[in-house]
Amino acid sequence: MEEFEQSASSEIEPATSQPFTKRISDISPGSVLRATAYPVLFLATLSVAMTALRYQWDPARVSPIFLIGVVTYLVILEHLIPYERDWRPDAEEWRWYGVYFLLTMAGGALAQGLVTTAVGVLSPADPALALWQEIPCALLSGSLTGYLVHRLAHTHAWLWRLHGVHHVPQKVNVANNGVNHVLDIVVEQGCVQLALALAGFSQESVFVVGLFVVAQGYFIHADIDVRFGWLNHALASPEQHRLHHSTALSQAGHYGADLSVWDHLFGSFTWRPGIRPVAVGLRDPGSFPGTGEIIAAHLHPWRRARKG
């Protein structure tokens, strides 16, 4: 009898424990990072926003420090869970991207300074909505404005001469998110924030939305292997934005940098599970100066305009 019980238990245990053991073995550091990469970023953004509001920190100081933290976090993830290893910047590209990053921050600061003044003048002293109600409304309004300005930058000839600088790199990574014409940053960020000011949103809600938009903007450019699944239909993601940089028009869409609802609404949503960009960059690489030609890239819009 004892022998039978031992025999029976030895037969049953592997059958019941094997699925559990397999599930445990499927969990790896990479899978954990892929699952937590965005939740960690989102919670960090929320925490910084709430803390800054509670202690009345100066947004002009919080925003750049937050940006540096976001970029550092995403660069680490690019090394740990890369989507495309060939998209990792080399030493020379890091130097170019560093200069562009400083120019982008300067352009953003200029837009922020101009619009902060407008927000201070136009924002009501006593907003009609509570802050927790204002924030989602401000996010939707700002996101729609950003979508429309971004799409216009792809269709209006002169605005494309500004925005096309961003599409020159044949890689998509967090570092080349900063590859922009300074005026492109001023126009896009200025339009979004001015729209929020004109709508009467408070400075606090504009600040919170600004942090979210910054985090999203760098996140969607990150060369990291994450999958959003059904969340792709609500939020912008790296999966979608790689398609935005695709050289194939049938793939290129996704003008929303934070929410993807506008791409659905206006017919520019092209993402499907498993789809990869054919190639990224410009369909005609010779139409813009190379990424390393920083001065030429900034003079390019006017040179092209004179030729036309």
Side-chain angles (χ1 to χ4, degrees):
M1 182 70 176
E2 242 177 75
E3 289 179 4
F4 173 77
E5 287 176 352
Q6 289 175 355
S7 174
S9 66
S10 67
E11 290 176 4
I12 292 171
E13 281 179 9
T16 55
S17 62
Q18 187 176 3
F20 177 75
T21 305
K22 187 177 186 303
R23 287 196 297 271
I24 292 295
S25 66
D26 287 342
I27 299 175
S28 65
S31 64
V32 172
L33 283 174
R34 291 183 186 94
T36 59
Y38 186 75
V40 167
L41 179 63
F42 179 81
L43 290 174
T45 304
L46 186 61
S47 299
V48 170
M50 292 176 64
T51 305
L53 291 177
R54 180 177 180 180
Y55 294 103
Q56 297 183 335
W57 290 347
D58 182 3
R61 294 186 177 182
V62 174
S63 297
I65 295 172
F66 173 74
L67 170 58
I68 292 170
V70 168
V71 171
T72 302
Y73 170 67
L74 293 173
V75 167
I76 293 171
L77 287 181
E78 286 186 331
H79 280 77
L80 297 175
I81 49 171
Y83 171 78
E84 188 66 70
R85 292 187 181 276
D86 291 342
W87 286 357
R88 187 174 296 174
D90 57 32
E92 187 176 27
E93 287 171 329
W94 271 117
R95 287 194 292 271
W96 301 339
Y97 296 161
V99 174
Y100 271 110
F101 179 76
L102 293 175
L103 290 172
T104 295
M105 288 193 69
L110 176 59
Q112 180 72 43
L114 294 172
V115 177
T116 296
T117 303
V119 172
V121 173
L122 298 171
S123 295
D126 299 309
L129 300 175
L131 184 59
W132 66 270
Q133 295 172 312
E134 263 200 304
I135 290 173
C137 293
L139 175 59
L140 287 172
S141 301
S143 177
L144 175 58
T145 305
Y147 173 91
L148 295 174
V149 173
H150 189 185
R151 188 159 187 170
L152 186 62
H154 278 261
T155 55
H156 186 279
W158 195 80
L159 289 178
W160 170 248
R161 294 182 191 120
L162 296 177
H163 184 66
V165 171
H166 177 65
H167 286 262
V168 170
Q170 296 177 326
K171 304 176 179 180
V172 182
N173 53 54
V174 69
N176 64 31
N177 178 47
V179 176
N180 300 289
H181 196 289
V182 172
L183 282 183
D184 187 36
I185 296 298
V186 172
V187 169
E188 185 169 353
Q189 292 189 13
C191 286
V192 171
Q193 294 184 51
L194 190 58
L196 294 176
L198 291 172
F201 292 111
S202 67
Q203 295 181 58
E204 290 80 7
S205 64
V206 171
F207 166 69
V208 173
V209 169
L211 289 185
F212 175 75
V213 169
V214 165
Q216 277 290 115
Y218 278 89
F219 172 71
I220 62 174
H221 284 86
D223 178 27
I224 56 177
D225 186 18
V226 294
R227 295 173 179 81
F228 259 34
W230 63 269
L231 273 177
N232 274 293
H233 298 285
L235 293 170
S237 73
E239 295 174 273
Q240 298 171 25
H241 204 70
R242 293 179 196 118
L243 297 177
H244 174 71
H245 281 260
S246 175
T247 57
L249 281 176
S250 60
Q251 292 184 326
H254 299 290
Y255 301 102
D258 36 50
L259 305 179
S260 59
V261 292
W262 310 117
D263 287 292
H264 268 301
L265 185 61
F266 295 112
S268 52
F269 190 93
T270 66
W271 175 82
R272 295 292 181 273
I275 188 172
R276 297 172 63 94
V278 173
V280 297
L282 295 170
R283 287 187 300 280
D284 179 11
S287 60
F288 277 81
T291 303
E293 302 173 70
I294 298 173
I295 295 176
H298 277 79
L299 295 176
H300 178 71
W302 291 275
R303 288 176 175 171
R304 295 281 296 184
R306 284 200 302 268
K307 287 180 182 179

